[in-house]
Amino acid sequence: VIAVLAFVLSLYASQTFTRPIRQISDAMTSFDGNDFTHTIQIHTDTELDKIGHAYNEMLKNIEEFQNEVKNQQKELRISEMNTLISQINPHFLYNTLDSIVWMIEGERYEDAVFMITQLAKLFRISLSKGHTIIRVRDELQHAQSYMNIQMTRYKNQFSVVFDVDPSLYEYCTVKLSLQPLLENAINYGVRGMEDCGEIRVSGKMDNGMLILSVTDNGIGIPPDEIDDLLTDTGRVHKKGSGVGLVNVNNRIQILFGKEYGLKIESELDEGTTVSICMPAELFREERQKYFEKGRQIHEHETDRKVEK
C-alpha cells in the first residue's frame, strides 16, 4: 500500500511539474509566425511562470515589430505608387495643351473647344478624389476621352472600338492603366500606317481574373524585345512618355502582387495585344479603402518575409 501510494504521489508530482513544461514547449513549437493569440497561461508559483510571461512578452514584441514593418511597407508602396502616377500626367497634359494652342493658332476653334471639353472630363476622372482604385466604367470613360483627344490631334488617322461587356463596369481597376497602353498602341502600332489603323479595347473575366486588353493591328513587336518592355526601365523611348508599360506593370504588382500585371502578345506585321490582368473584385468603398492603405492581396508573402 505504501509503495502504491508513493508511486501515485510521485506520478502526480511529476505530472504537475511537467505539464506546464509541455504547455510551454507545445506553444513554442506550434507558433507559425502569424498567430499571436496562443499565449501561455500557467500559474505554478515557480520559475516556469517567468518563462511563460517572457514568452508572452516576446509574442507581443514580435507582433508590434511586424505591424511596424508592414506599415512602413505600406507607406513605401503608396509613395512609389504616387511617383509612378506623377510620371504620366505631366507628359500627356503638356502634349494636349500644346495641341490646343496649335489648333487655336490655326483657327480650328471647334476642335480646340472639343479638346478642352474632353480634357476636362479626362482630368475629372484622373483626380478621382485622390483614389488609386476606381470602377472599370470610369477608367473606360477616361480612356474614351483620351482617344477622342488623340483622334482629333491625328485627324482620325486611326479608329478605336470599345468592346467591354457592361457587366464588368462595376469591378475594380487601377486608375490610369489603359491610357499608357493606348498611347503605345498609337505611337508604336498604328500611327503612320498606310491603311487605317484600328485599336480595340476589350474586357473579359477568366478564372476569377479581370482582363482588360488593348489590341492594335499595327507593325507588331520583335520577339526579342517583348520581355524587356516590362522590365527595362533604362530603355530609350523615341516616342511616348517613356514610362508606359513598365509603369503600369509596376503599379498593378504593387497593389495586387507579382502574379498580376501586364501580358504582351505580338506578331510582326499582324499587331499587338497588351492585357491588364487583375483580380476580379467588385468595387466597394471598403475595397477602395483597403487598397488605398497599400495592402496587397498577397499579404501572406509579406508575412513570410517579415518572419524571415
Side-chain angles (χ1 to χ4, degrees):
V1 173
I2 295 175
V4 171
L5 183 59
F7 174 78
V8 171
L9 291 175
S10 175
L11 184 62
Y12 174 77
S14 175
Q15 289 182 346
T16 302
F17 183 75
T18 58
R19 188 183 299 112
I21 296 179
R22 285 199 303 268
Q23 184 180 352
I24 295 173
S25 176
D26 291 343
M28 291 182 175
T29 303
S30 63
F31 179 60
D32 60 359
N34 297 312
D35 188 357
F36 297 95
T37 61
H38 291 169
T39 57
I40 298 174
Q41 301 296 333
I42 55 178
H43 306 283
T44 62
D45 294 326
T46 67
E47 296 296 326
L48 295 176
D49 290 359
K50 295 182 179 179
I51 295 176
H53 179 73
Y55 177 79
N56 293 339
E57 286 295 316
M58 181 187 70
L59 286 185
K60 180 180 178 182
N61 292 335
I62 292 176
E63 184 178 19
E64 291 177 351
F65 174 72
Q66 189 178 82
N67 290 334
E68 182 180 353
V69 172
K70 288 181 181 179
N71 290 333
Q72 291 175 351
Q73 290 177 335
K74 292 174 187 177
E75 293 175 2
L76 179 61
R77 288 196 293 268
I78 292 173
S79 176
E80 184 175 354
M81 179 70 67
N82 291 335
T83 300
L84 291 171
I85 291 176
S86 70
Q87 291 176 320
I88 296 177
N89 287 339
H91 167 80
F92 175 72
L93 178 60
Y94 171 81
N95 283 346
T96 303
L97 293 178
D98 186 58
S99 296
I100 293 173
V101 171
W102 174 66
M103 290 176 180
I104 293 174
E105 290 177 349
E107 298 184 354
R108 294 172 52 191
Y109 300 122
E110 291 185 4
D111 288 342
V113 170
F114 178 76
M115 289 272 279
I116 293 172
T117 302
Q118 293 301 309
L119 187 63
K121 292 181 179 179
L122 185 145
F123 271 91
R124 178 182 61 82
I125 297 174
S126 294
L127 294 175
S128 299
K129 299 180 180 179
H131 298 311
T132 301
I133 300 298
I134 62 176
R135 291 178 173 87
V136 168
R137 179 184 60 212
D138 293 331
E139 179 66 13
L140 290 174
Q141 177 60 64
H142 183 276
Q144 181 71 70
S145 297
Y146 173 79
M147 292 305 292
N148 287 341
I149 291 173
Q150 296 291 50
M151 287 190 290
T152 302
R153 285 183 61 198
Y154 294 111
K155 301 179 181 179
N156 295 315
Q157 295 178 12
F158 50 85
S159 63
V160 60
V161 176
F162 284 82
D163 183 22
V164 179
D165 193 295
S167 64
L168 303 181
Y169 286 178
E170 292 302 312
Y171 281 83
C172 294
T173 187
V174 180
K175 180 175 67 178
L176 301 180
S177 55
L178 285 174
Q179 176 187 320
L181 275 61
L182 292 167
E183 182 181 30
N184 276 272
I186 295 172
N187 291 326
Y188 297 98
V190 301
R191 194 173 76 177
M193 289 179 59
E194 294 182 2
D195 299 328
C196 182
E198 180 180 295
I199 298 174
R200 178 176 294 271
V201 179
S202 57
K204 65 179 181 179
M205 198 78 71
D206 184 17
N207 293 326
M209 184 180 296
L210 175 66
I211 301 177
L212 299 178
S213 300
V214 174
T215 302
D216 67 72
N217 63 342
I219 60 176
I221 304 171
D224 58 338
E225 294 184 11
I226 291 179
D227 291 338
D228 292 339
L229 291 176
L230 301 181
T231 58
D232 189 357
T233 56
R235 287 173 59 88
V236 177
H237 298 260
K238 297 179 181 179
K239 311 168 188 175
S241 65
V243 296
L245 300 185
V246 175
N247 185 306
V248 175
N249 191 57
N250 288 345
R251 291 165 59 208
I252 292 173
Q253 292 187 346
I254 286 172
L255 286 169
F256 301 119
K258 296 296 183 180
E259 61 268 37
Y260 302 100
L262 297 188
K263 179 181 178 182
I264 303 176
E265 301 172 288
S266 184
E267 291 186 21
L268 292 177
D269 299 322
E270 293 292 334
T272 301
T273 297
V274 182
S275 299
I276 303 172
C277 302
M278 300 169 291
E281 294 279 350
L282 282 171
F283 182 90
R284 301 190 303 271
E285 292 297 330
E286 305 85 62
R287 298 299 295 166
Q288 187 180 58
K289 293 176 182 179
Y290 175 87
F291 289 117
E292 296 308 322
K293 292 179 181 179
R295 294 178 61 184
Q296 298 179 351
I297 292 209
H298 67 307
E299 193 72 48
H300 63 278
E301 179 179 345
T302 301
D303 291 340
R304 287 200 300 267
K305 292 179 181 179
V306 172
E307 180 183 353
K308 293 178 180 179

